[in-house]
Amino acid sequence: MGRSGKLPSGVSAKLKRWKKGHSSDSNPAICRHRQVARSRFFSRPSGKSDLTVDAVKLHNELQSGSLRVGKSEAPETAMEEEVDLAVTEKSSGTFLSGLSDCTNVTFSKVQRFWESNSAAHKEICAVLAAVTEVIRSQGGKETETEYFAALMTTMEAVESPESLAAVAYLLNLVLKRVPSPVLIKKFSDTSKAFMDIISAQASSGSTSALRWVLSCLATLLRKQNLEVWSYPVTLQVYHGLLSFTVHAKPKVRKAAQHGVCSVLKGSEFMFGEKAPAHHPAAVCTAKFCIQEIEKSGGSKETTTTLHMLTLLKDVLPSFPEGLVKSCSETLLRIMTLNHVLVTACAMRAFHSLFHAKPGPGTLTAELNAQIITALYDYVPSENDLQPLLAWLTVMEKAHINLVRLQRDLGLGHLPRFFGTAVTCLLSPHSQVVVTATQSLKEILMECVAPHMASIGSITSAAPGPAQYVTKMFRAVEEGLTYKFHAAWSSVLQLLCVFFEVCGRQAHPVMKKCLQSLCDLRLSPHFPHTAALDQALGAAVTSMGPEVVLQAVPLEIDGSEETLDFPRSWLLPVIRDHVQETRLGFFTTYFLPLANILKSKAMELAQVGSTVESKIYDTLQWQIWTLLPGFCTRPTDVATSFKGLARTLGTAISERPDLRVTVCQALRTLITKGCEAEADRAEVSRFAKNFLPILFNLYGQPVAAGDTPAPRRTVLETIKTYLTITEPQLVNGFLEKASEKVLDPASSDFTRLSVLDLVVALAPHADEAAISKLYSTIRPYLESKVHGVQKKAYRVLEEVCASPRGPAARFVHSHLDDLKQTLLDSLRSTSSPAKRPRLKCLIHIVKKLSAEHEEFIAALVPEVILCTKEVSVGARKNAFALLVEMGHAFLRFGSNQEEALQRYLVLIYPGLVGAVTMVSCSILALTHLLFEFKGLMGTSMVEQLLKNVCLLLASRTRDVVKSALGFIKVVVVVMDVAHLAKHVQLVMEAIGKLSDDMRRHFRMKLRNLFTKFIRKFGFELVKRLLPVEYHKVLVNIRKAEARAKRQRSLNQAAMEEEEEDEEEEPAQGKGDSIEEILADSEDEEDDEKQERSRGKEQRKLARQRSRAWLKEGGGDEPLNFLDPKVAQRVLATQPGPGRGKKKDHGFKVSADGRLIIRETDDGDQVEEEDGTKGEEEEMADLMEDMGVRSKKHQKLKRRQEADDEELEMPPQYQAGGSGIHRPLAKKATPGAEYKAKKAKGDMKKKGRLDPYAYIPLNRTKLNRRKKVKLQGQFKGLVKAAQRGSQAGHKLRRKDHRP
């Protein structure tokens, strides 16, 4: 019998649940029929009863689920979805009818885990119903106290073990909610009743009642106050619970252990204001555990020991310090037995102790240190996988806890552990290497990093904690020797963390390691270059480039005899990791070196050494690329920038090759290096020098061979620098720029460039300057030159976009003027200027109030027409403005639906205008429908749908395209019940499309048909459409059925894979209903289950408890007096591993890389329900409107290609002769081996030997081509036979004398 409590995958989501707040909707307000039924409970009815044998049989079938009423199982079509229709037989019937009418929420778990086929659960429900009836008959209110009293009375009266188990389970539920004073007052009687039942059931074969009574006893003890624990009877009751922690039955034992843990950790007085440090029962619990372990520890039978260790794992952190010491000594003593399972469980107990991070009252720093020292005597062998992993994990937690308790003592123990853990890197098991590395990393981050600031500078001669850190680093540094070469990757990771944590203070002791790393990188074929560069990068970040280059100089000075530059690889490493260092170091060290290398390059170029010149030029350029890193949060901006500013200005103006790098450095310095006010003021002081240089550069025309990228970089730098520039300086620049724009002598390029600069300057000017600028650019809003007009609108856009400051105040004060200007310039606006103009309008509409409604109404026609603009940006802005205008109307009116209706009335006239206006109006309504779908009334949407269906009769493709897009959105956003009324209208409108329209929009129609079929079924849609559409509908049904089957197969495969990989979940602690369901009233079922699992469990236990003895190396005998002989006892069988590799379904190349082949596009599985989300629908809709999303384009093309294959007629294939001849010859497999002057194939050097085969092709599965395929095989075999015969003849000729 399987576990009936575990549900199959996917079933839990389908179970019925009460909706929140609706659990009593089906209960009638009047219950006169129930009252009549109760009154006749003990008397036979006088009239004829409807309760017959057949009615009872029908009732039992309904309860068991074998008969379903209310759902007609219609044959399932390929396209119709299963819709759960709300069909009810009686108003009072629910899926919980007949269980119980108990209203106390304490017993909701019984209802929530209802399982009608379980006899144990039926008994629970029967007891609950009877107790509820008794309480009600006596006028009770169904409180927890009443249920507690009634159940206690019932427990003393019942006799059968099944009823006793049911009562005990219900008591276990209700005791947790009974008020504590009640349980304290009734403790004596209740505990005596529980102990009597425990005594009676202790020798019984059934465990159900016993486990729940133990749980009740634990809850009772947990509710008592501190005074009660001073009575001997309380400890006597607790000892009764404690004695069952070594019970033979697992469920009883687990219930007792869970109860002990809940008493020690969860007693109510432990959370009060005067809570004691430890529970009063902790002492007797510890003594009991020690006594049981010592009683059974020396014998071969270790079951009791393992049970006690399992209990200790949970309760050891709750003991006082003296008992923790005694328990630890006991644990260490039994670990000397070298029993694998005992040692593992003891390690788990220590791990839980350290992981709990107890206070000094439980675990003192001295005791923690003593346990760590003792555990070194139990270091497993480096070849013993699982024990060594457990030891490393326990020691990691122990050291972290020790440093938490006492810093200096903890740091003093770390060097020894580092030495041992580094030795573990020599293990042949990769898991050991990974775990050791991770443990050391964790210790560095948890124990060392928080205390580095207090430790201070670390040198070789420093005493105390500094000395400990030095020893730890030396242990890791030893990993760079050759014997650790297999683990160099892990050693480099450790060094990387060490540099990050300690590099700033400990760099004096790390310089030798930096030199070793550089020498190691220069060794030939070094495989861990990336990890080494990462470690050096961490050193650069923490120590700074100045310290690193003192330890490992670049060895580049421009006077080299050879051009090897062995340490030039340091430059990219420094570039990628330098930050928070001295900017002055770049000025004093790197800048002169770059000048020397540049001079050297120029000298070599003059003498004709082009290659050498290029090398030196590249080196000096690499040095300049370090500058952005030095500008990232530098420490000396206020003192060093003035020495570098002149050089940077010269480089920007005179060195085009450095312009991009220097501009990037300036932007980085402003955004990431000017956090302090003094640094910001210092960099801002040089704005008057840098900005004119940048302005002049941007105003220069781009040369013929140059790219426009440097101009964009310069403009971005200008915008960034303006954020810290004084407003007076910005006003001066803006005034000069305005003069340049108005200058008639300025060329078009100059005027456009200056307008770009004005766009950058405008947001940072004051209100007077902006007002003057507005007067300057206002005439250009109607300029005939499109580029100038666009730039003018860009200036206005930047001013309107400012949320606060002078620009926002200007917009507020000149709002009427701006409105009039934008309306006057409407007719003269060119197409390129539409995007910034619409953006201006968006910002202005956000600031409008109700009195400006006429302005919005005047804008509507322009915005609607802009939805068909050529520019993608203009179309996006048009749709955004439509939505913003809708929000403005919602702000203006109190009733949102009426406000939205007033807004839509402004768009409706476009439906009767010109063709373009009609198409644009439909697009606008479509977008608004999607954005405001929650605010539009059903009648409004229905009216729109009717009008759009009329427009489907248009002869213009644009109008029909827009109308189909609208219908698509309606299908997505409209409720099915309301949409069903208009299905016939929509289908008739689509059915009247002309052949040309139907052919042109076949993909859009196919998409619409699919959605309608999914919502309303295949037969309905087929009946509403003309005959010429039926072939497409059948095709859709087949495609959907195929996709559904594929989804089912994939889902089944995934579930099967998850079941194979997933481990069995841990069972609950004792109050879960699944455990009730697993307890059958028939004990034979339990015995069958135990027998079915018995062999496997015993075999697994034997394997876990087996140990191997590792012999000495060579002829050396094993010395049992060796102190490290315990390391010879292995839990892992020595020798080469025979583990089975997991098959992931992918092939593996020779070097270990996975070979993953992409599947065809046609094999891609559609989404779960065959439907798209609203966001994806909106993306498709925007694409219909011409606003394409890059994210969906690739997927859309792929899907359309798949759909085209279903309907497109076969394309023309070239054939015949003349102009109809095929231009591309189809490649024949194996043609490259064909001999040019002879028959047959020939071998070719460096290639595989030729062989004969017939290529696999899916077309070969066609039965009509079977004969041709058979002929190919016959011909292949005959040719092979002829070749073989010819070869035999030639061989005989060669062997003739």
Side-chain angles (χ1 to χ4, degrees):
M1 177 179 168
R3 289 183 60 194
S4 57
K6 184 176 180 181
L7 297 173
S9 176
V11 173
S12 59
K14 300 177 182 177
L15 290 179
K16 294 183 178 179
R17 295 285 187 268
W18 289 122
K19 292 183 179 180
K20 188 173 182 181
H22 294 271
S23 58
S24 61
D25 283 359
S26 61
N27 294 338
I30 302 174
C31 52
R32 60 177 181 272
H33 298 292
R34 297 185 188 182
Q35 299 295 336
V36 173
R38 290 196 187 100
S39 65
R40 297 178 180 178
F41 187 75
F42 296 102
S43 61
R44 299 180 63 84
S46 56
K48 184 179 179 180
S49 174
D50 293 329
L51 184 62
T52 61
V53 176
D54 293 333
V56 173
K57 184 179 178 181
L58 177 62
H59 171 75
N60 291 335
E61 289 177 346
L62 287 172
Q63 290 287 16
S64 63
S66 60
L67 183 62
R68 303 285 181 183
V69 176
K71 289 185 180 180
S72 59
E73 298 182 357
E76 181 183 350
T77 62
M79 275 303 301
E80 288 175 341
E81 295 181 345
E82 296 180 2
V83 181
D84 293 335
L85 301 177
V87 180
T88 58
E89 282 190 274
K90 298 179 181 179
S91 60
S92 61
T94 68
F95 66 95
L96 290 179
S97 295
L99 170 62
S100 172
D101 53 353
C102 172
T103 59
N104 196 303
V105 296
T106 304
F107 305 104
S108 60
K109 183 176 289 189
V110 178
Q111 299 172 352
R112 193 162 61 247
F113 294 100
W114 168 251
E115 176 59 62
S116 61
N117 293 327
S118 172
H121 204 151
K122 287 179 178 178
E123 187 69 26
I124 291 172
C125 295
V127 172
L128 178 60
V131 171
T132 303
E133 190 66 30
V134 169
I135 292 174
R136 288 180 178 173
S137 64
Q138 297 179 359
K141 298 180 180 180
E142 298 187 47
T143 62
E144 287 83 2
T145 305
E146 292 172 342
Y147 274 104
F148 165 63
L151 288 171
M152 288 298 299
T153 306
T154 307
M155 187 174 66
E156 296 174 358
V158 297
E159 297 180 356
S160 65
E162 294 82 5
S163 300
L164 183 61
V167 174
Y169 174 74
L170 294 173
L171 264 174
N172 171 59
L173 292 179
V174 78
L175 272 174
K176 298 173 183 178
R177 301 175 67 96
V178 175
S180 299
V182 176
L183 295 181
I184 293 173
K185 186 175 181 180
K186 294 292 182 180
F187 174 70
S188 178
D189 298 336
T190 308
S191 60
K192 183 179 182 303
F194 286 155
M195 293 301 292
D196 292 343
I197 295 175
I198 289 174
S199 301
Q201 295 289 324
S203 58
S204 174
S206 176
T207 61
S208 298
L210 187 57
R211 57 189 288 220
W212 296 122
V213 173
L214 289 173
S215 181
C216 292
L217 188 60
T219 305
L220 180 67
L221 290 170
R222 188 163 54 85
K223 294 278 188 176
Q224 305 306 308
N225 55 25
L226 186 59
E227 297 175 359
V228 176
W229 284 95
S230 62
Y231 305 143
V233 65
T234 309
L235 292 177
Q236 185 179 358
V237 172
Y238 179 74
H239 270 288
L241 174 66
L242 198 59
S243 62
F244 281 91
T245 56
V246 291
H247 197 272
K249 292 295 181 69
K251 293 181 180 179
V252 176
R253 184 174 63 252
K254 288 180 180 179
Q257 290 180 356
H258 178 60
V260 170
C261 294
S262 65
V263 170
L264 293 181
K265 295 180 179 181
S267 293
E268 291 185 349
F269 62 82
M270 296 295 292
F271 301 98
E273 296 179 357
K274 299 180 180 179
H278 304 281
H279 198 281
V283 177
C284 62
T285 306
K287 291 180 179 179
F288 175 81
C289 293
I290 295 173
Q291 181 181 354
E292 290 293 330
I293 291 175
E294 290 179 348
K295 188 188 302 183
S296 62
S299 63
K300 293 183 179 179
E301 181 59 46
T302 58
T303 306
T304 305
T305 303
L306 294 175
H307 295 338
M308 283 295 96
L309 291 176
T310 304
L311 177 61
L312 274 178
K313 177 177 70 71
D314 295 325
V315 300
L316 189 57
S318 305
F319 293 164
E321 186 264 336
L323 293 173
V324 170
K325 184 175 182 180
S326 302
C327 291
S328 301
E329 292 173 351
T330 305
L331 291 175
L332 292 171
R333 195 158 49 247
I334 63 173
M335 286 173 65
T336 58
L337 300 175
N338 289 330
H339 190 282
V340 175
L341 283 179
V342 171
T343 304
C345 290
M347 282 292 186
R348 290 176 62 191
F350 279 126
H351 182 271
S352 67
L353 174 64
F354 297 127
H355 185 70
K357 296 181 179 180
T362 297
L363 182 65
T364 60
E366 291 74 16
L367 179 58
N368 194 332
Q370 291 172 4
I371 295 174
I372 289 175
T373 305
L375 286 176
Y376 280 107
D377 297 332
Y378 302 92
V379 181
S381 169
E382 63 186 21
N383 296 318
D384 208 0
L385 179 60
Q386 295 300 333
L388 186 54
L389 295 178
W391 187 86
L392 286 170
T393 306
V394 170
M395 293 297 279
E396 173 197 332
K397 296 297 181 183
H399 284 88
I400 291 175
N401 193 64
L402 180 57
V403 173
R404 181 182 64 86
L405 294 172
Q406 189 173 338
R407 187 199 72 176
D408 292 348
L409 182 60
L411 292 177
H413 279 75
L414 287 179
R416 183 179 181 185
F417 178 67
F418 266 71
T420 307
V422 169
T423 306
C424 292
L425 298 180
L426 297 172
S427 172
H429 299 287
S430 61
Q431 292 171 278
V432 173
V433 177
V434 171
T435 303
T437 306
Q438 192 62 35
S439 296
L440 293 181
K441 284 183 183 179
E442 198 69 23
I443 286 177
L444 285 173
M445 300 302 295
E446 296 285 338
C447 301
V448 181
H451 304 291
M452 283 308 298
S454 59
I455 292 175
S457 180
I458 297 175
T459 59
S460 301
Q467 184 181 5
Y468 303 146
V469 175
T470 303
K471 290 181 178 179
M472 292 156 55
F473 183 76
R474 296 292 179 229
V476 177
E477 188 180 9
E478 188 184 354
L480 293 178
T481 56
Y482 186 73
K483 69 175 182 179
F484 290 92
H485 72 279
W488 271 347
S489 176
S490 300
V491 174
L492 290 172
Q493 293 179 35
L494 287 174
L495 287 174
C496 181
V497 177
F498 237 121
F499 290 147
E500 290 176 359
V501 171
C502 312
R504 192 174 298 276
Q505 290 88 0
H507 60 81
V509 300
M510 297 179 173
K511 290 183 178 180
K512 183 181 177 183
C513 179
L514 294 176
Q515 296 171 359
S516 302
L517 290 175
C518 287
D519 296 339
L520 198 61
R521 195 185 190 283
L522 294 177
S523 59
H525 308 295
F526 181 67
H528 307 293
T529 303
L532 193 148
D533 289 350
Q534 190 70 24
L536 257 298
V540 170
T541 302
S542 59
M543 305 177 193
E546 191 170 0
V547 175
V548 173
L549 291 177
Q550 286 176 359
V552 283
L554 276 177
E555 298 180 355
I556 300 174
D557 55 6
S559 60
E560 294 81 9
E561 296 181 359
T562 61
L563 299 179
D564 292 340
F565 302 112
R567 290 186 178 171
S568 60
W569 57 271
L570 279 171
L571 290 175
V573 173
I574 296 174
R575 178 197 65 203
D576 294 338
H577 296 89
V578 63
Q579 59 180 359
E580 297 184 42
T581 187
R582 286 196 318 112
L583 188 59
F585 179 65
F586 182 85
T587 307
T588 57
Y589 180 80
F590 283 108
L591 206 55
L593 180 58
N595 293 332
I596 292 172
L597 296 179
K598 182 63 177 177
S599 302
K600 183 74 173 179
M602 295 174 65
E603 292 175 4
L604 291 172
Q606 290 176 358
V607 298
S609 301
T610 309
V611 176
E612 293 82 353
S613 172
K614 188 64 176 176
I615 291 173
Y616 277 104
D617 193 48
T618 303
L619 282 175
Q620 67 90 24
W621 176 79
Q622 285 185 331
I623 290 174
W624 274 102
T625 57
L626 306 180
L627 183 58
F630 276 90
C631 292
T632 304
R633 294 184 293 278
T635 58
D636 58 343
V637 176
T639 57
S640 300
F641 185 69
K642 59 184 176 182
L644 185 63
R646 181 183 293 273
T647 306
L648 296 183
T650 306
I652 291 175
S653 58
E654 299 179 2
R655 296 284 301 276
D657 57 325
L658 303 178
R659 194 167 293 159
V660 175
T661 302
V662 176
C663 286
Q664 180 188 353
L666 278 177
R667 294 197 302 274
T668 305
L669 181 64
I670 294 169
T671 55
K672 298 181 181 179
C674 292
E675 297 175 356
E677 189 61 36
D679 298 341
R680 188 183 183 92
E682 178 67 16
V683 179
S684 176
R685 191 165 63 89
F686 290 91
K688 63 181 182 296
N689 305 108
F690 279 105
L691 286 176
I693 297 174
L694 295 171
F695 289 161
N696 292 333
L697 282 177
Y698 190 76
Q700 295 174 1
V702 181
D706 294 345
T707 59
R711 290 190 81 238
R712 289 196 294 269
T713 303
V714 170
L715 186 59
E716 288 299 319
T717 309
I718 291 171
K719 292 179 180 179
T720 306
Y721 219 129
L722 286 171
T723 58
I724 62 170
T725 306
E726 294 293 331
Q728 294 82 3
L729 189 61
V730 174
N731 294 338
F733 287 138
L734 193 58
E735 185 177 354
K736 293 180 181 179
S738 300
E739 295 175 358
K740 198 76 171 176
V741 171
L742 295 173
D743 187 4
S746 299
S747 62
D748 291 341
F749 177 82
T750 304
R751 186 173 285 106
L752 291 175
S753 301
V754 173
L755 282 172
D756 283 334
L757 298 177
V758 171
V759 170
L761 289 164
H764 306 284
D766 57 20
E767 190 171 353
I770 293 176
S771 179
K772 189 175 180 180
L773 174 64
Y774 174 65
S775 302
T776 303
I777 66 162
R778 187 171 178 177
Y780 291 102
L781 296 177
E782 301 181 11
S783 173
K784 300 296 184 181
V785 182
H786 294 173
V788 174
Q789 188 187 53
K790 179 180 178 181
K791 299 293 184 185
Y793 273 111
R794 282 284 295 118
V795 174
L796 196 58
E797 176 190 344
E798 289 295 326
V799 172
C800 296
S802 296
R804 62 185 67 87
R809 292 194 295 270
F810 168 79
V811 173
H812 188 267
S813 60
H814 293 73
L815 190 59
D816 294 334
D817 191 14
L818 285 170
K819 287 166 40 184
Q820 190 61 41
T821 302
L822 290 172
L823 287 177
D824 292 343
S825 60
L826 171 60
R827 297 184 180 276
S828 59
T829 305
S830 61
S831 181
K834 292 283 188 182
R835 188 191 64 79
R837 173 183 168 81
L838 291 170
K839 200 71 174 175
C840 289
L841 291 172
I842 290 174
H843 296 306
I844 289 177
V845 168
K846 289 180 180 179
K847 299 177 173 64
L848 296 180
S849 55
E851 61 268 16
H852 303 287
E853 188 173 324
E854 294 181 1
F855 173 70
I856 296 179
L859 293 176
V860 169
E862 176 196 3
V863 181
I864 291 176
L865 286 174
C866 286
T867 58
K868 284 280 190 177
E869 272 293 332
V870 178
S871 168
V872 176
R875 294 198 295 270
K876 287 184 177 180
N877 287 344
F879 288 119
L881 181 54
L882 280 171
V883 175
E884 195 56 49
M885 291 160 71
H887 287 300
F889 269 88
L890 294 179
R891 289 199 310 268
F892 299 162
S894 57
N895 189 334
Q896 292 190 337
E897 189 170 344
E898 291 181 1
L900 198 58
Q901 180 65 34
R902 283 191 292 110
Y903 176 47
L904 294 180
V905 166
L906 301 176
I907 303 176
Y908 290 157
L911 297 176
V912 294
V915 172
T916 305
M917 192 65 182
V918 172
S919 175
C920 294
S921 300
I922 298 175
L923 288 180
L925 290 171
T926 305
H927 198 83
L928 293 174
L929 170 63
F930 189 86
E931 290 293 332
F932 299 103
K933 51 182 176 288
L935 300 176
M936 284 191 180
T938 306
S939 59
M940 191 186 308
V941 178
E942 291 176 351
Q943 187 63 37
L944 281 174
L945 182 59
K946 292 178 181 177
N947 293 330
V948 171
C949 287
L950 293 176
L951 292 173
L952 275 176
S954 174
R955 297 182 180 181
T956 309
R957 288 180 176 179
D958 280 349
V959 176
V960 175
K961 179 180 178 181
S962 302
L964 291 176
F966 181 87
I967 295 174
K968 180 180 177 181
V969 173
V970 167
V971 173
V972 174
V973 304
M974 199 173 183
D975 184 57
V976 178
H978 294 99
L979 183 62
K981 304 175 185 177
H982 306 282
V983 175
Q984 184 173 359
L985 173 67
V986 175
M987 291 295 110
E988 288 178 356
I990 293 176
K992 294 178 182 178
L993 289 176
S994 63
D995 293 343
D996 177 66
M997 292 293 183
R998 188 170 69 248
R999 186 167 51 253
H1000 185 75
F1001 295 112
R1002 59 186 177 279
M1003 298 312 303
K1004 294 185 182 299
L1005 291 174
R1006 179 187 179 86
N1007 193 356
L1008 269 179
F1009 293 156
T1010 305
K1011 294 181 185 302
F1012 275 105
I1013 290 175
R1014 286 171 182 163
K1015 287 183 180 289
F1016 302 106
F1018 173 78
E1019 295 298 334
L1020 176 63
V1021 178
K1022 182 180 179 181
R1023 191 166 61 250
L1024 294 176
L1025 283 173
V1027 179
E1028 53 264 25
Y1029 287 96
H1030 290 181
K1031 187 176 181 180
V1032 179
L1033 297 179
V1034 172
N1035 191 290
I1036 293 173
R1037 182 171 63 176
K1038 290 180 179 178
E1040 290 291 314
R1042 185 166 58 249
K1044 186 176 181 180
R1045 287 195 302 269
Q1046 187 66 34
R1047 284 197 302 271
S1048 302
L1049 292 174
N1050 290 345
Q1051 183 67 23
M1054 289 174 61
E1055 290 177 359
E1056 186 176 350
E1057 185 178 349
E1058 289 175 0
E1059 289 176 1
D1060 293 341
E1061 293 181 358
E1062 137 184 293
E1063 297 179 357
E1064 184 177 357
Q1067 294 184 356
K1069 290 293 185 181
D1071 58 352
S1072 174
I1073 197 68
E1074 284 91 345
E1075 298 184 1
I1076 305 174
L1077 303 178
D1079 279 339
S1080 173
E1081 67 276 10
D1082 189 1
E1083 291 298 325
E1084 294 181 0
D1085 292 341
D1086 290 339
E1087 293 175 3
K1088 289 179 181 179
Q1089 293 178 14
E1090 291 177 6
R1091 282 199 298 270
S1092 64
R1093 297 192 300 262
K1095 292 184 179 180
E1096 297 179 1
Q1097 291 180 351
R1098 286 193 293 272
K1099 182 179 178 181
L1100 184 60
R1102 284 198 302 270
Q1103 289 178 352
R1104 288 178 176 173
S1105 59
R1106 290 175 67 184
W1108 286 268
L1109 196 62
K1110 185 179 180 182
E1111 299 290 344
D1115 297 332
E1116 180 185 354
L1118 180 61
N1119 182 11
F1120 286 97
L1121 298 179
D1122 188 356
K1124 295 185 178 181
V1125 72
Q1127 297 184 7
R1128 297 284 184 175
V1129 181
L1130 307 180
T1132 308
Q1133 184 176 2
R1138 291 181 291 274
K1140 184 179 179 182
K1141 291 186 177 181
K1142 190 173 181 180
D1143 183 15
H1144 293 280
F1146 300 115
K1147 294 183 179 180
V1148 183
S1149 63
D1151 56 353
R1153 292 178 296 176
L1154 291 177
I1155 302 173
I1156 303 175
R1157 304 189 183 277
E1158 294 184 357
T1159 57
D1160 294 337
D1161 295 338
D1163 296 336
Q1164 291 188 350
V1165 183
E1166 296 183 12
E1167 295 187 11
E1168 182 60 30
D1169 294 326
T1171 59
K1172 300 179 182 178
E1174 288 190 359
E1175 295 297 329
E1176 198 166 340
E1177 293 289 353
M1178 194 57 197
D1180 292 342
L1181 171 64
M1182 294 299 288
E1183 186 172 346
D1184 289 342
M1185 298 176 185
V1187 183
R1188 296 183 181 271
S1189 171
K1190 292 182 179 178
K1191 182 178 179 181
H1192 289 272
Q1193 280 181 8
K1194 185 176 180 181
L1195 180 62
K1196 189 70 178 177
R1197 287 196 297 267
R1198 187 178 298 169
Q1199 291 175 347
E1200 288 182 354
D1202 293 342
D1203 294 338
E1204 285 282 358
E1205 291 178 1
L1206 299 174
E1207 281 195 276
M1208 287 293 289
Q1211 299 291 331
Y1212 169 75
Q1213 298 290 336
S1217 59
I1219 62 172
H1220 301 288
R1221 69 189 184 281
L1223 298 178
K1225 293 185 177 180
K1226 196 172 182 179
T1228 305
E1232 61 270 20
Y1233 293 104
K1234 188 174 182 180
K1236 295 182 179 179
K1237 298 182 179 180
K1239 293 183 178 180
D1241 296 332
M1242 53 185 273
K1243 292 186 177 182
K1244 293 199 173 185
K1245 188 176 181 181
R1247 293 191 180 184
L1248 299 173
D1249 290 347
Y1251 58 94
Y1253 73 99
I1254 295 178
L1256 296 177
N1257 192 343
R1258 62 187 300 177
T1259 59
K1260 305 296 183 184
L1261 301 176
N1262 195 325
R1263 289 179 296 177
R1264 293 176 296 174
K1265 300 181 180 180
K1266 183 177 179 181
V1267 178
K1268 181 179 179 181
L1269 184 63
Q1270 289 176 348
Q1272 286 183 345
F1273 272 109
K1274 290 179 181 177
L1276 188 66
V1277 174
K1278 288 180 180 179
Q1281 290 174 348
R1282 286 197 301 269
S1284 177
Q1285 293 172 1
H1288 281 298
K1289 290 180 181 179
L1290 292 174
R1291 188 172 298 175
R1292 284 198 297 270
K1293 288 182 180 179
D1294 293 340
H1295 287 289
R1296 288 176 184 173

